[in-house]
Amino acid sequence: MTITDTDTDTDDNFETNEAIHDAARSVELLRLSEARLSRRRQTDCGPSENARAAMRYILERADVGERVTPSEIAAHLGVSGASVTGMLDRLHAGGMIAFEAHPRDRRSKLVVPFDRSTDADDVDPVTAKIRQFAGDLSPEAAAQIADFLERVREVVDAECA
C-alpha cells in the first residue's frame, strides 16, 4: 500500500484538528485553574486577586514616576470606589501602601507603594513564573500566543457584559 496525497492531507487535517482541540482545551483548563486559585486566595493566601492586581498597578505606575488615586485604581480594576477603599485600607494596614495628599486636589489622595524595594513579581509569584516561561519562547511564538490570548480575553470580557 502506498501513501497518497489524499492520505497525507487527511493526516494533516487530523493533526490540525487535534491541535485546535488541544489549544481550546488548554484555555478551558487554565480558566478553571484560575478560578480555583482565586477561591484559594480569597481564603488561604493573603491578599485577594484584586488587591494583587491593585498592587501591581501601583508599582508599575510608580516605576514610571506616576502616582495614582483610588479612583484610577477602581477604574483600572473595573470595580466600585467603595470596594477599592476597603482594599486599600487593608493594604495600608499590611504595610504595602501609603497615602499622600494630592498636590492639586485637597479632596483626593495619592496611593504610593510603602516599600519601593518590593518587586512587583513578589506581589504575584504566578505572574513572575509566567514571565519566566514566556522568556523561553521565540519572539514569533510569543506574539502568536499573545494575540490568541488577547482574543480569548476579549471573548471572556464580553460575556454577560
Side-chain angles (χ1 to χ4, degrees), residues 16-79:
T16 299
N17 289 338
E18 192 72 18
I20 291 168
H21 173 76
D22 288 349
R25 177 92 174 118
S26 292
V27 169
E28 185 57 30
L29 291 172
L30 174 62
R31 292 178 66 212
L32 293 170
S33 183
E34 285 181 326
R36 287 190 302 270
L37 175 61
S38 180
R39 285 191 299 274
R40 285 192 310 270
R41 283 182 170 173
Q42 288 174 1
T43 58
D44 301 337
C45 295
S48 68
E49 187 60 34
N50 271 348
R52 291 171 192 265
M55 278 305 305
R56 282 192 302 272
Y57 182 67
I58 293 163
L59 291 167
E60 288 166 0
R61 302 299 354 130
D63 285 345
V64 295
E66 296 177 7
R67 298 205 162 120
V68 295
T69 65
S71 298
E72 291 169 330
I73 295 168
H76 176 75
L77 297 176
V79 298

Side-chain angles (χ1 to χ4, degrees), residues 3 10-11 58 75 78 135 157:
I3 297 179
T10 302
D11 289 344
I58 293 163
D157 283 349

